[in-house]
Amino acid sequence: MILTGDKEFYKGIGAITFEGKESDNPLSFKYYDPERKVMGKTMREHFKFAVAYWHSFCGQGGDPFGPGTQIFPWDKSSDPMKRAYDKADAAFEFITKMGFDYFCFHDVDLVDESESLSKNEKQLHEIGNYIALKQKDSNVKLLWGTANCFSNPVYMNGAATNPDFKVVARAGAQIKMALDLTISLGGENYVFWGGREGYMSLLNTDMSRELDHMGQMLSMARDYARAQGFNGSFFIEPKPMEPMKHQYDFDAATAIGFLREYKLDSDFKLNIEVNHATLAQHSFEHELTVAANAEMLGSIDANRGDNQNGWDTDQFPVNLYEVTEAMLVLLQTGGLKGGGVNFDAKIRRNSTDFDDIFHAHIGGVDTFARALITAEKILISSEYSSLRKNRYASFDTGNGNQFEKGSLTLEALSKIAFNDSPPKRTSGKQELFENIINQFI
Ligand code: XUL
Ligand code: CO
C-alpha cells in the first residue's frame, strides 16, 4: 500500500511493479519479480531491499567544490520537527512506491541534532513515535538502525576511540539512544560503521589503547541491547579509509580478527559494502567470501565505486558481472544472516529531477535481480560447480584426504612427495570460468 502524508511529494509516480524485460516503461522492474523463486526462496526473501534514509532524503548533493543541488520540499520549514515529519512522509511515500519492505537510518537522519543530548533524546522519541505509526500502516520494517558518531565535530578525534573520555561518554549516550530507538521500531539489526574510529597519524595515537576502548564500547552496547530484549544481530561495516587515513575496521578479515579478540563474534556479523571492498583493494566477492567463511555474512550495503578514482563515490550498482560473482557467493554460502541489501548509494549531484531517485533504485534492484537469476542458472546448468570442485579432487580420496583430515605428519607428507611422480602442469582455466559468467548473463 502506498503511504502518502498530507501531501504527495513524488507526484505522478505510482507503485513500481514487475513488468518484465520487454516493458518500455522505465518506471518498472524488468528483472525483479519479488515472488519469483530462486533456489527455493523468493527474491523478496533473498534480498530484503532497503532504502538508506541518509542518501535519499537528507543528502543534498554538496561536494568540496560547491553546495547541494537537491531542493527537497520537505526541508522547507524552519522548525526542525516539522522538517522531520515531512521528511518521514516523503520517505514512507518513496519506500512504499518502490515496494520495498525495509529502510535503514542513522539517528541524525530522522531529525537534526540539537544543542543538547536531552533535547536530542526528546526529539528522537517524538519522531520515533511517528515513524512507528508509519511502519504500522505500511508494514515497512527497519532492517537496521545506527548512530552517526562521525559528522558532529565533537568526534573529530574519534568516537569510541577518542583520547578524551568525555567524548567517549558522549558517543555512548548517542549509541544508547540509537539502540533504544532501533529496538522500539522493531529493528532487526544494529550497525556500527566506525566512521572516525581510526587515526590520521600514529605519532599521536596509542593504537592498542584505542582498540581496547572500541572493544569495550561494543561490548557495553551489546550487553545493554541484550538486556533490553534485542535479539537481532549487530553488524560491523568494514572500510579501510575515508574519513580517517586508516580505519580500524579496515576490511572483513581485520574486523573478524577484532571481533574474535574481543569475544564479540557470537553477537556480531559483518555488513559488507561494495565500494568499501574496492577501496580496500579487494573485490566485493572477496569480502563476501571472507565474511561467509567465518559465518559472519550478515548484510550488504549495495553501491559501486568508480574505476578511475579512489574514493567512496557511492554510486548505484550497475555492474552485472561484478554482482553476478557476488550472487554466486551468496547462493553457495547460504545467503545473508539476518540482514538484507541496503542501497547505501546516492544519485549524482547533477541528477536533479524528482524521478531520478526512482530510476536509481530500479537500476540497482534490477542489477541484483538479474545477477541472482544468472547465478542460479550458472549453478544449475553450467559446468561451473563441477569444474571448481574437480580442481580439488586430489583431496577427496587417498593421501590428499588424509592430509585434509590432519592425519599426516610433515615427514609422511615429505615421503609421499619423494615416492610420487612429479606434479603435472594443471591449468586453472580462469578464462573458461570467466566465459561461463558471460554466457549466462
Ligand atoms: C559510509 C557508510 C555509512 C554506513 C552507516 O561510507 O557506508 O553510511 O553505512 O553509517
Ligand atoms: Co555503508
Side-chain angles (χ1 to χ4, degrees), residues 117-278:
L117 283 174
S118 50
K119 190 163 172 205
N120 289 349
E121 184 165 45
K122 192 172 154 284
Q123 291 189 159
L124 278 176
H125 190 69
E126 217 180 298
I127 193 67
N129 287 342
Y130 188 61
I131 290 198
L133 291 177
K134 299 229 134 214
Q135 283 184 249
K136 195 159 165 277
D137 289 344
S138 62
N139 270 330
V140 169
K141 291 166 280 189
L142 177 59
L143 188 65
W144 51 260
T146 187
N148 175 334
C149 293
F150 45 89
S151 294
N152 190 317
V154 74
Y155 298 123
M156 68 178 185
N157 290 306
T161 62
N162 198 292
D164 179 354
F165 173 69
K166 270 180 186 282
V167 181
V168 174
R170 192 201 189 278
Q174 210 184 316
I175 291 168
K176 179 183 169 295
M177 288 190 277
L179 278 168
D180 287 340
L181 185 61
T182 301
I183 295 169
S184 76
L185 297 179
E188 296 184 9
N189 307 280
Y190 186 87
V191 162
F192 290 90
W193 170 58
R196 292 188 197 271
E197 314 295 25
Y199 62 82
M200 302 306 287
S201 166
L202 267 183
L203 291 173
N204 64 4
T205 302
D206 184 338
M207 190 201 285
S208 159
R209 215 164 168 184
E210 291 198 359
L211 283 168
D212 283 352
H213 294 173
M214 194 159 96
Q216 190 64 49
M217 182 70 91
L218 296 185
S219 305
M220 289 161 82
R222 186 249 340 253
D223 294 345
Y224 174 74
R226 291 288 183 241
Q228 307 308 305
F230 176 68
N231 48 26
S233 267
F234 300 92
F235 297 144
I236 295 268
E237 186 178 318
K239 186 175 184 182
M241 67 197 88
E242 199 199 2
M244 303 311 261
K245 173 194 147 52
H246 178 97
Q247 304 221 177
Y248 290 137
D249 301 320
F250 189 94
D251 60 0
T254 312
I256 290 166
F258 170 87
L259 290 173
R260 287 181 177 154
E261 184 173 346
Y262 291 93
K263 307 207 173 356
L264 293 160
D265 47 316
S266 46
D267 296 283
F268 281 70
K269 297 185 172 48
L270 301 184
N271 180 30
I272 300 295
E273 178 159 328
V274 188
N275 204 172
H276 296 181
T278 46

Side-chain angles (χ1 to χ4, degrees), residues 357-379:
I357 195 69
F358 283 88
H359 294 301
H361 282 86
I362 290 169
V365 163
D366 270 342
T367 301
F368 269 74
R370 191 171 171 189
L372 189 75
I373 296 166
T374 308
E376 182 192 37
K377 278 197 227 135
I378 290 171
L379 292 175

Side-chain angles (χ1 to χ4, degrees), residues 381-423:
S381 15
S382 83
E383 280 186 291
Y384 170 83
S385 297
S386 57
L387 279 172
R388 198 159 173 258
K389 191 169 183 304
N390 285 342
R391 285 194 80 208
Y392 299 89
S394 60
F395 291 94
D396 291 343
T397 54
N399 287 330
N401 190 241
Q402 297 300 311
F403 169 85
E404 263 196 357
K405 283 196 199 137
S407 41
L408 289 185
T409 60
L410 189 62
E411 295 98 305
L413 192 63
S414 157
K415 208 163 172 193
I416 291 165
F418 270 94
N419 293 337
D420 215 349
S421 52

